[in-house]
Amino acid sequence: MKKIFLAALAVMLCASLVACEKQSAARAERSKPRVSVTSQVVQIRRAPAPNADITPEGKLRIDDIEVPLPDNQRLQLQQLFGQLQMLRQETLASAPADPDNRGVKLQSNAQIDALRDQVLVEIVPLKPYQESFSNISGERR
């Protein structure tokens, strides 16, 4: 009886370790610096910093607080938003269907890279998010 109990306990411990490992991998993936492009917003993430959002109007919100910007910088953010949206739409059009609605990896182009570099130099609150632009994801929503 003792042997059966110990064997059952060992199986349960192994199962819980496997589940815990899967959760840790998912958590690590979610905490990676990245840029998520949806139809309504470009969200820039880099833990432990708060999320930064770029709206279609070129507004910058960090932790849901709008950052006041001069018109030329808002125009730059608006252009970056538009370029990322076009890239997202082109990539999703050719991507295979996904029943889980997972996002797709986006490959930046020269025009987006130039806008990104300009924005990161001129808009000081975005400088800590530079690493995030190496991991761009196009969301299906």
Side-chain angles (χ1 to χ4, degrees):
M1 185 73 170
K2 235 182 204 181
K3 290 181 182 181
I4 294 174
F5 175 74
L6 289 176
L9 184 62
V11 168
M12 287 178 16
L13 284 174
C14 287
S16 66
L17 285 175
V18 168
C20 195
E21 187 176 311
K22 287 180 183 178
Q23 288 177 344
S24 294
R27 190 176 306 115
E29 182 64 31
R30 284 193 311 268
S31 68
K32 282 184 180 177
R34 74 180 180 135
V35 174
S36 295
V37 184
T38 69
S39 60
Q40 298 298 316
V41 71
V42 171
Q43 188 172 65
I44 310 166
R45 301 176 179 154
R46 187 187 71 74
N51 292 342
D53 297 329
I54 300 172
T55 67
E57 300 83 23
K59 294 180 182 178
L60 174 64
R61 292 187 318 240
I62 297 180
D63 204 18
D64 289 327
I65 299 170
E66 188 172 335
V67 177
L69 297 172
D71 289 342
N72 65 325
Q73 291 179 349
R74 287 182 71 179
L75 180 60
Q76 290 172 336
L77 288 178
Q78 199 171 22
Q79 290 171 345
L80 180 61
F81 179 91
Q83 291 295 319
L84 287 169
Q85 283 301 319
M86 286 191 301
L87 178 63
R88 173 184 166 266
Q89 290 172 358
E90 291 168 359
T91 305
L92 286 175
S94 62
D98 182 2
D100 296 327
N101 257 357
R102 287 181 290 220
V104 294
K105 179 109 171 120
L106 301 180
Q107 289 297 324
S108 186
N109 58 37
Q111 191 171 11
I112 291 172
D113 290 345
L115 275 169
R116 175 204 62 209
D117 292 345
Q118 186 178 11
V119 161
L120 289 172
V121 166
E122 294 183 21
I123 303 176
V124 176
L126 282 179
K127 285 185 181 184
Y129 298 91
Q130 183 171 357
E131 181 184 2
S132 301
F133 282 93
S134 63
N135 184 13
I136 305 173
S137 172
E139 304 302 324
R140 294 179 189 266
R141 50 188 163 88

